[in-house]
Amino acid sequence: MQPDSRHFKANAEAALREPRLQAALKQLELGFVAGRQRCYEALPEFESLRDRARDILDHTLENLDAYLVEYESRVIESGGQVHWASTPVQAREIVIDICRAAKARSVIRGKSMVGEEIGINDALEAAGFEVTETDLGEYILQLAGEPPSHIVAPAIHKTREEISDLFFEHHREHGFTQRQTERSALVAEARQVLREKFLGADVGMTGANFLIAETGSNVIVTNEGNGDLSSTLPRVQIVTAAIDKVVPTLEDASLLLRLLGRSATGQEITAYTTFTTGPKRARDADGPGEYHVVLIDNHRSEMLGSELRPMLRCIRCGACMNHCPVYGRVGGHAYGWVYPGPMGSVLTPIMVGLDEAGHLPNACTLNGRCETVCPVKIPLPTLLRSLRRRQHLQRQNSRLARIALSLWTWVALRPRLYQALTRPAMSLLSRLGAKSGSFRRMLLASGWTRVRDLPAPQGSTFQARWQQRQRGRK
Amino acid sequence: MSAAREQVLSRVRTALGRGEPGDAQVAEIRARIERHPRHIEPVFDEPAPLRFRQKLEAAEASCATLDSLAQVGAEVERYLDQAGVAKRLVVSGDELLQSIDWPASIDVRPWVAGSDERVSLTSAHRGIAETGTLMLLSGENNPTRLNFLPDYHIVVLTADQLVLRMEDAWDSLRSCFGEMPRTVNFISGPSKTADVEQTVEYGAHGPRCLHVILVG
Amino acid sequence: MEIPDTNSPSDQPHVGLFVTCLVDLFRPSVGFAAVELLQRAGCRVTVPRAQTCCGQPAFNSGDDWHAKQIAMQVLDAFEEFDYVVGPSGSCMGTIRCHYPEMFADDSRLLPRFEALCAKSHELVSFLVDVRGVEAVEASFDHCVTYHDSCSALRELGIKAQPRKLLATVAGLHISELQGTDICCGFGGTFCVKYPEISGSMVADKVAAVAASGADTLLSGDLGCLLNLSGKLRREGKSTRVYHVAEVLANMADGKSIGEGDD
């Protein structure tokens, strides 16, 4: 998808004026946040699991090349094929070549964020393939022609009425002429439409929550079972996965799984967790005849060599965005690309460029709630601050902000001057504001006073009054 | 695309500040894989069968406990009656299931490609008490599709197949088979989605109902 | 050694008061309340003149060079004291958590910053955790609610301490806020860079304050308090807003933050 992060501010302001989106986002605290909290309280080991998860992933990243090569060997031994891609362009070419070689017509997709990242749907459609998303949320968005707005619950911004309209419009051709409005009827209708797609598909594409170096397996975590049907029914399976998805062993994955569902949706475990290894074996009753993995770098190796390395621990649970007060106000689309919220504010500038996504590291209060819930302890505020540092060094932040900050620090480094300037200034402001106690408008502070009053200072500065008091005492 | 392979790996190595991993490093990571150390495993006090059942029921699966395999036929009939579905059943070729005596009222067929798959009956390799999870393996007698295509999925499991945690299930898998089956499904309840208004609905793509029969 | 600004026996620990720029500029009474509380807790207090800001605006804007200059100014002004105490979780969080981070690669200065970090405390946590204060002599006949600032809560782990002392204030009743771990939308320069988002966040917080039924809002950080008070005034609410130190020092008898003569 074409990034639109440079319009974050305008998009965010539009989102704030969208009552249906606001109502949907309010649900986050009651649903995902409360669910995670219940899991947290029910599991005394939660904190030690987080520490261990961080350590396992750090160890893996420190040996990433070796684990990737081990993983690759196991996939090949199990009869699968591994393809490597530095860039989204390469990844798309690989996928299209596989589909062409298989003489495929239709492709079904299980939800995959890296698939969104490389823009696989548009590329496949442009190459003449019929592509169907099968995760219900992704399917709804495919009908609507929209990108996901949450990495776990992609259609979180869609109301039942909108879904009802979409299905009524698009399912007519499948023989559904009644407009359904009940949740259960909507889900049942999508199930029937998509069941036909599953049964008729040539290629099933999925992502991977983890790749296991020990066995060459990919792991898919779902509640719907769509990822499983996608990896079972078609004759060709393609797994797109980023290089940071590899973990050493089944036991390592088991530990991470304990954190993933709890952090994502407040589930101890999702309905389906599936480990898939290679294509159908000779004696197997079913399964695809071909199994391909596309390993995608897309700037991850660059992050590995920088202070942003901890970001590669991310297991895509979405807890950071669920707990982010900014995401909770503006929703995922405002961020303008595939990954929203705190994790997206780190990844997007790296993947689409800091010039395009310069707002994202700044649209954050550094309140740190994301870091406290991150299951793998990514120091998100620190990483966002790192990106601000890069912007500062590359002079990519606003000129006005730079000048204001430089002026403040210049004065702040000269305490006598600071005190000489602030004392009369505060006295004046205090007198001007004494009557009403706060200012409704203030020159040079319109950002503040647009939405709230500015409380007037009490009087002279503390330093001035303190020195006066000390003099009186002596 | 071996050029891309070399490019990705060399970028990773540059980022890590070194060249190709030395023999010692490779030996070390292989040894770690060989050891596959267990990590922190949550403690619980309940007996395994109770925990298993409670967790499954919390996930909206149903569960019946029977004394012997001989009672399975009657239990399946009861379940189908209660669910109000036609008594037609596709049964996987799993050995455990072949010894069940079926009441004449149930139309039981072994799975073949193209079966009507509205109700399926399978076994599982293990049941995991910690999370109320079934571990099912693909194979000659166990088509994975039987775990996902039907509306009703009935799973028969014997009490000695219960383990405490996923790590125990891995140990069991390693000792029973030399290699990973093509598919290992961990199933912890019926298929569901919360993609419409963040509210859970069952039967998204997979079974609407999961019924577990624990024997012994 | 700088001569203490307050007259007390010399065996008492000597505290350098880090006033914080917002208290210095907007709410001097919080500084006086802090001095009062520290003295009552048996400390000698000095207010170094060579202090202005902790450097957080520069640090959070990615301007490490200036942030470090200011950090060194703070180091020079406060290094000699037994403790550095400030009435702000945000500024003390910067000193405690971020100064050592800024100088992580500076083997000469790092030990000095680590030592500074170890003796720097937010005011209320200092009173409770370091000085063992169990109760305060104060009365405040109001139903109050308490906003945890994010830096105090998450960088410094301060949650129980202010509540513990507030519980000993005569006449005071606490009604907890819903969503007390959610940011109020201040976020330093964030609130002026993204006013609409910030405004939406503080609107929710103000609604939670109203829902708590409290007539007074307290917090330990003036940034949050100015934001919250500003929004309350904008919405025409009469909720009184004080820094927690003012109530604990029994000095919350003047005009509350943002309150006028009218």
Side-chain angles (χ1 to χ4, degrees):
Chain A
M1 86 186 253
Q2 227 22 57
D4 187 36
S5 302
R6 67 174 68 235
H7 300 118
F8 171 82
K9 203 171 173 187
N11 293 342
E13 287 166 15
L16 287 166
R17 291 190 295 267
E18 178 54 64
R20 289 194 295 193
L21 174 66
Q22 292 301 314
L25 291 170
K26 286 265 187 293
Q27 286 293 317
L28 279 173
E29 288 286 328
L30 303 169
F32 289 162
V33 170
R36 180 201 172 270
Q37 186 62 26
R38 276 195 299 276
C39 284
Y40 184 83
E41 285 161 11
L43 188 69
E45 296 89 350
F46 207 112
E47 283 303 325
S48 46
L49 286 169
R50 290 175 75 212
D51 285 334
R52 188 64 64 88
R54 177 200 54 207
D55 295 347
I56 290 169
L57 292 166
D58 280 347
H59 163 80
T60 312
L61 291 170
E62 191 58 53
N63 297 283
L64 186 60
D65 54 337
Y67 278 119
L68 284 169
V69 170
E70 282 297 305
Y71 165 77
E72 179 189 41
S73 310
R74 299 293 89 73
V75 175
I76 294 168
E77 280 169 18
S78 68
Q81 297 178 50
V82 179
H83 314 260
W84 300 70
S86 281
T87 62
V89 176
Q90 287 176 1
R92 292 195 293 261
E93 283 171 1
I94 292 166
V95 172
I96 288 169
D97 286 348
I98 296 169
C99 293
R100 284 199 179 127
K103 299 199 167 24
R105 197 185 56 80
S106 67
V107 179
I108 48 167
R109 287 197 55 211
K111 193 171 119 44
S112 151
M113 291 314 296
V114 80
E116 298 285 337
E117 185 184 313
I118 63 171
I120 196 61
N121 283 9
D122 289 349
L124 282 169
E125 279 173 0
F129 299 98
E130 181 199 325
V131 185
T132 310
E133 291 281 358
T134 61
D135 171 83
L136 182 58
E138 293 281 358
Y139 175 66
I140 291 165
L141 296 181
Q142 189 181 21
L143 296 183
E146 289 177 25
S149 74
H150 188 286
I151 63 167
V152 172
I156 199 165
H157 59 286
K158 282 286 184 218
T159 61
R160 180 156 38 131
E161 288 67 36
E162 291 172 280
I163 297 166
S164 194
D165 289 343
L166 282 168
F167 283 8
F168 185 53
E169 181 190 341
H170 292 274
H171 287 174
R172 212 182 281 269
E173 57 186 278
H174 301 281
F176 295 93
T177 52
Q178 198 95 28
R179 186 177 188 279
Q180 300 296 344
T181 53
E182 292 301 310
R183 252 192 315 272
S184 57
L186 291 167
V187 171
E189 190 175 299
R191 176 188 172 104
Q192 287 187 57
V193 171
L194 289 170
R195 182 58 68 90
E196 293 309 311
K197 301 280 183 193
F198 275 123
L199 293 170
D202 304 302
V203 175
M205 285 190 69
T206 66
N209 289 90
F210 305 106
L211 304 172
I212 313 290
E214 176 187 358
T215 56
S217 315
N218 75 286
V219 184
I220 300 178
V221 172
T222 78
N223 278 310
E224 298 184 1
N226 64 311
D228 300 280
L229 288 171
S230 302
S231 24
T232 304
L233 299 178
R235 55 194 167 83
V236 177
Q237 182 180 0
I238 305 175
V239 176
T240 50
I243 54 171
D244 54 347
K245 292 287 110 186
V246 70
V247 298
T249 66
L250 297 168
E251 279 74 6
D252 296 324
S254 301
L255 176 119
L256 293 164
L257 287 167
R258 285 199 178 91
L259 289 164
L260 178 58
R262 287 178 167 93
S263 302
T265 51
Q267 289 176 276
E268 289 184 14
I269 190 164
T270 51
Y272 302 114
T273 303
T274 295
F275 290 65
T276 306
T277 314
K280 170 184 185 298
R281 312 285 157 79
R283 294 159 69 96
D284 278 353
D286 61 356
E290 286 179 38
Y291 177 86
H292 300 266
V293 181
V294 186
L295 286 176
I296 297 158
D297 181 345
N298 196 22
H299 298 283
R300 286 170 178 81
S301 54
E302 177 190 322
M303 294 171 76
L304 185 69
S306 79
E307 78 280 15
L308 301 177
R309 184 190 292 189
M311 193 62 227
L312 299 177
R313 296 200 296 259
C314 180
I315 58 171
R316 306 291 190 263
C317 69
C320 60
M321 61 196 73
N322 296 340
H323 289 78
C324 173
V326 174
Y327 178 92
R329 295 300 177 307
V330 306
H333 285 167
Y335 292 80
W337 199 57
V338 174
Y339 300 108
M343 55 85 83
S345 297
V346 178
L347 288 175
T348 307
I350 300 305
M351 293 184 177
V352 310
L354 201 47
D355 48 344
E356 169 67 38
H359 271 299
L360 305 190
N362 293 288
C364 164
T365 65
L366 298 177
N367 66 81
R369 199 179 181 214
C370 51
E371 182 176 1
T372 61
V373 297
C374 176
V376 294
K377 294 199 149 180
I378 300 170
L380 287 154
T382 302
L383 302 188
L384 291 169
R385 224 184 255 114
S386 286
L387 289 169
R388 294 181 186 186
R389 194 170 296 137
R390 291 185 185 190
Q391 284 178 309
H392 180 82
L393 292 172
Q394 294 164 24
R395 300 184 154 267
Q396 279 178 328
N397 43 0
S398 100
R399 195 150 164 266
L400 188 68
R402 296 177 71 89
I403 292 170
L405 187 69
S406 301
L407 202 63
W408 168 256
T409 44
W410 192 82
V411 177
L413 284 166
R414 288 161 180 80
R416 280 177 189 280
L417 175 68
Y418 173 94
Q419 283 154 25
L421 291 172
T422 53
R423 185 167 54 180
M426 290 299 128
S427 299
L428 175 66
L429 273 183
S430 165
R431 278 199 299 281
L432 291 174
K435 196 157 177 294
S436 72
S438 55
F439 301 98
R440 291 191 70 82
R441 252 188 265 168
M442 171 72 64
L443 197 67
L444 299 175
S446 63
W448 180 282
T449 56
R450 193 178 309 169
V451 294
R452 76 217 112 197
D453 288 5
L454 178 67
Q458 248 174 345
S460 187
T461 62
F462 175 79
Q463 284 284 4
R465 288 161 70 166
W466 181 256
Q467 281 151 31
Q468 204 172 9
R469 187 173 115 169
Q470 296 309 98
R471 277 196 298 275
R473 195 165 281 181
K474 282 160 195 164
Chain B
M1 291 305 269
S2 75
R5 181 184 189 274
E6 291 322 306
Q7 189 177 29
V8 172
L9 286 173
S10 96
R11 281 182 183 168
V12 167
R13 286 168 187 149
T14 306
L16 293 169
R18 55 172 168 73
E20 277 194 40
D23 291 347
Q25 192 199 348
V26 172
E28 195 180 305
I29 70 143
R30 287 199 178 140
R32 189 186 182 286
I33 289 174
E34 197 64 33
R35 283 199 320 275
H36 49 80
R38 286 184 171 211
H39 304 290
I40 300 141
E41 294 170 14
V43 176
F44 53 88
D45 304 327
E46 312 92 303
L50 177 68
R51 168 99 178 187
F52 178 69
R53 184 172 180 146
Q54 283 174 344
K55 290 289 173 187
L56 268 173
E57 287 173 350
E60 297 292 321
S62 51
C63 193
T65 310
L66 305 181
D67 294 330
S68 77
L69 213 54
Q71 298 166 292
V72 169
E75 166 58 22
V76 169
E77 181 164 37
R78 184 203 65 77
Y79 178 73
L80 295 177
D81 273 337
Q82 186 196 313
V85 288
K87 293 180 193 171
R88 219 166 40 233
L89 198 62
V90 176
V91 180
S92 79
D94 195 281
E95 213 171 292
L96 177 76
L97 308 177
Q98 308 316 311
S99 56
I100 297 171
D101 282 329
W102 292 105
S105 53
I106 307 181
D107 174 4
V108 178
R109 298 173 186 198
W111 179 81
V112 288
S115 295
D116 168 10
E117 291 154 329
R118 186 160 155 76
V119 182
S120 69
L121 182 90
T122 71
S123 181
H125 177 67
R126 287 291 177 268
I128 299 169
E130 181 190 342
T131 45
T133 299
L134 300 158
M135 179 200 219
L136 287 85
L137 311 179
S138 64
E140 187 175 3
N141 296 319
N142 293 298
T144 299
R145 56 196 291 144
L146 286 191
N147 309 338
F148 294 96
L149 283 176
D151 289 345
Y152 295 85
H153 183 200
I154 306 172
V155 181
V156 179
L157 189 74
T158 57
D160 59 2
Q161 288 177 295
L162 277 188
V163 295
L164 295 179
R165 301 183 180 82
M166 190 181 272
E167 287 82 347
D168 302 309
W170 293 131
D171 282 349
S172 151
L173 186 74
R174 287 191 186 100
S175 66
C176 296
F177 306 88
E179 55 166 18
M180 281 290 271
R182 140 83 190 163
T183 306
V184 179
N185 292 127
F186 290 99
I187 299 180
S188 313
S191 161
K192 59 184 174 181
T193 182
D195 278 341
V196 184
E197 294 182 320
Q198 300 180 56
T199 306
V200 175
E201 286 291 333
Y202 290 90
H205 288 295
R208 296 166 210 272
C209 297
L210 174 69
H211 185 58
V212 178
I213 301 175
L214 189 59
V215 179
Chain C
M1 167 74 76
E2 201 162 331
I3 300 157
D5 290 345
T6 57
N7 307 319
S8 356
S10 61
D11 58 340
Q12 293 186 335
H14 193 185
V15 170
L17 179 68
F18 188 78
V19 181
T20 81
C21 60
L22 288 178
V23 165
D24 182 46
L25 302 178
F26 281 87
R27 196 73 184 167
S29 57
V30 176
F32 287 102
V35 172
E36 174 72 21
L37 287 166
L38 289 167
Q39 284 180 316
R40 283 200 222 158
C43 302
R44 293 180 290 150
V45 182
T46 291
V47 181
R49 281 197 70 171
Q51 61 170 312
T52 55
C53 159
C54 65
Q56 191 185 149
F59 182 61
N60 283 348
S61 301
D63 182 355
D64 281 15
W65 191 83
H66 277 112
K68 284 162 93 165
Q69 297 294 308
I70 297 180
M72 286 191 280
Q73 177 173 286
V74 173
L75 182 71
D76 287 340
F78 285 91
E79 204 171 19
E80 63 185 305
F81 297 101
D82 300 326
Y83 295 105
V84 185
V85 177
S88 158
S90 170
C91 308
M92 302 320 288
T94 298
I95 297 176
R96 278 186 69 107
C97 305
H98 301 306
Y99 280 8
E101 191 184 316
M102 288 180 213
F103 293 89
D105 296 330
D106 189 328
S107 58
R108 193 176 55 87
L109 284 173
L110 184 62
R112 290 174 64 193
F113 276 104
E114 282 174 339
L116 184 77
C117 156
K119 61 186 178 184
S120 297
H121 300 273
E122 181 277 338
L123 173 67
V124 181
S125 60
F126 176 74
L127 297 176
V128 173
D129 300 339
V130 180
R131 299 302 295 164
V133 174
E134 295 279 336
V136 292
E137 276 177 45
S139 67
F140 193 69
D141 249 327
H142 292 278
C143 177
V144 310
T145 192
Y146 190 85
H147 166 69
D148 291 292
S149 87
C150 296
S151 338
L153 186 67
R154 284 186 270 268
E155 287 187 337
L156 303 177
I158 298 168
K159 186 169 172 94
Q161 299 92 326
R163 289 170 175 80
K164 176 177 176 169
L165 294 188
L166 284 171
T168 68
V169 173
L172 183 146
H173 169 74
I174 297 189
S175 170
E176 287 289 350
L177 272 183
Q178 282 292 309
T180 182
D181 65 329
I182 301 174
C183 174
C184 70
F186 173 63
T189 55
F190 170 86
C191 70
V192 292
K193 281 186 188 161
Y194 301 95
E196 273 75 14
I197 304 173
S198 168
S200 166
M201 289 161 70
V202 69
D204 280 5
K205 194 56 81 177
V206 161
V209 171
S212 76
D215 60 40
T216 304
L217 170 66
L218 305 178
S219 181
D221 259 285
L222 205 55
C224 309
L225 288 168
L226 291 172
N227 180 41
L228 290 160
S229 158
K231 189 65 177 176
L232 287 161
R233 298 295 162 262
R234 177 62 55 94
E235 292 192 355
K237 300 251 171 43
S238 59
T239 314
R240 296 141 56 88
V241 180
Y242 287 102
H243 190 285
V244 65
E246 296 177 275
V247 170
L248 296 178
N250 206 23
M251 292 165 73
D253 43 5
K255 283 195 289 181
S256 69
I257 297 168
E259 187 180 337
D261 293 333
D262 310 352

